[in-house]
Amino acid sequence: MSCWLPLDLEARSLGDERLQLHAGALALASVAHALLPHAEDDAHTNFAVDARGDTEVLALRTWPLRQHPEQHASLAVADLELRWHRGAEIAARLPLPGRTLAEAHAWADSTARRLCGAAVQPRRYEDLPPHPLFDGGAFTGDRTAARAELGCWFANAAALFGELATREPALSPARVWPHHFDLGVLLPVTGTAAAATIGLGFSPGDSHYAEPYFYCSPYGENAAALPPLSGPGEWHTTDFTSVIVTGTELLAGGHPQRQARAWLASALSACRRVVGTG
């Protein structure tokens, strides 16, 4: 079984660095949108979590690029650096601190033209969270430890859902989606009268929770009352229905991986009952 990377910082202290990484990920998504076949659900723009056991190389990584499968782009999380990979070589890199999102998009465009003979236009998203970066401000680079901590959260979430995939082979791959900047998986549920799914994932924080949190959401639910939970977390019912556990709660007992596994078992059981299979 996988072991989590250590988590050392207070979960509620990571908000600004989450938004810095989110902005950097938008430039990465623009590369994917320009250079990969388009999927109806925008899945061509999502990222893998590249976690090779060393916090110095934690990164978000695009799919291999169309017509250039030996190439991909990545965002190094702790360093806040965009990288263009060609095989094992880093063919180009752009440290983001001190630069704007427009400069990041310009680098992506010039690098794609040079290495792939193709242009990259900024991929536009609506309803981005308020932050100076989305309005022409510059990236800052003074909180490397906080970014590294967020990278560990993403890697640990990918590991948790990787464990689930060994028991649930129908589970979709764990990918980071650039619009809301969350890592998500989808579990089809069999044995229901209508198609039902359970969406699970991890968010580094958003307008609902100003800290990292995990969620488990039933889709196709019946009219039954939400069942009680046997593990950590609580039902969230404002704007969406989901079993939530926050980073603060996971860290409180000193064993966040054990707590996350307990949350996952409890949340899945409850959501199966909601969609009529529990």
Side-chain angles (χ1 to χ4, degrees):
M1 302 291 278
S2 61
C3 292
W4 276 26
L5 297 174
L7 299 166
D8 301 315
L9 300 181
E10 203 275 325
R12 297 189 183 99
S13 69
L14 307 174
D16 190 68
E17 294 311 310
R18 162 179 61 87
L19 292 166
Q20 301 255 1
L21 291 170
H22 190 176
L26 297 183
L28 204 62
S30 294
V31 172
H33 191 64
L35 301 179
L36 286 166
H38 289 191
E40 289 186 7
D41 63 354
D42 228 28
H44 60 290
T45 65
N46 63 28
F47 319 122
V49 177
D50 189 358
R52 290 173 283 182
D54 181 342
T55 57
E56 293 301 314
V57 296
L58 283 174
L60 304 179
R61 168 171 45 88
T62 69
W63 297 98
L65 301 180
R66 176 183 58 190
Q67 298 180 0
H68 300 274
E70 79 287 358
Q71 298 188 39
H72 70 273
S74 74
L75 174 65
V77 171
D79 291 338
L80 194 58
E81 181 176 84
L82 291 171
R83 297 174 181 173
W84 199 289
H85 303 258
R86 184 167 53 190
E89 169 197 12
I90 299 177
R93 62 177 78 216
L94 181 74
L96 290 175
R99 295 182 167 91
T100 65
L101 186 53
E103 289 177 291
H105 280 120
W107 173 86
D109 179 55
S110 63
T111 304
R113 290 175 186 272
R114 177 167 59 88
L115 296 178
C116 298
V120 170
Q121 297 297 322
R123 175 73 164 88
R124 303 297 182 187
Y125 293 95
E126 300 295 329
D127 304 320
L128 291 172
H131 192 274
L133 270 169
F134 302 123
D135 195 30
F139 290 88
T140 59
D142 55 344
R143 296 196 67 210
T144 303
R147 292 193 299 274
E149 184 93 348
L150 285 166
C152 290
W153 276 108
F154 273 110
N156 292 340
L160 180 70
F161 297 128
E163 290 180 4
L164 179 62
T166 65
R167 306 189 298 274
E168 300 282 357
L171 191 74
S172 67
R175 306 286 296 187
V176 178
W177 296 79
H179 187 188
H180 297 116
F181 200 48
D182 63 334
L183 181 149
V185 296
L186 194 65
L187 179 64
V189 179
T190 58
T192 56
T197 57
I198 296 173
L200 304 106
F202 162 80
S203 170
D206 55 22
S207 61
H208 297 282
Y209 297 89
E211 63 175 297
Y213 69 92
F214 287 82
Y215 60 86
C216 182
S217 305
Y219 300 111
E221 63 261 35
N222 57 31
L226 300 178
L229 303 172
S230 60
E234 63 181 7
W235 281 106
H236 175 106
T237 56
T238 302
D239 297 330
F240 61 93
T241 299
S242 193
V243 183
I244 301 292
V245 67
T246 65
T248 296
E249 186 172 0
L250 292 178
L251 293 170
H255 299 283
Q257 183 178 26
R258 184 188 307 166
Q259 286 288 88
R261 287 171 173 163
W263 163 82
L264 182 59
S266 169
L268 270 178
S269 175
C271 287
R272 288 186 190 278
R273 290 175 63 186
V274 170
V275 298
T277 63

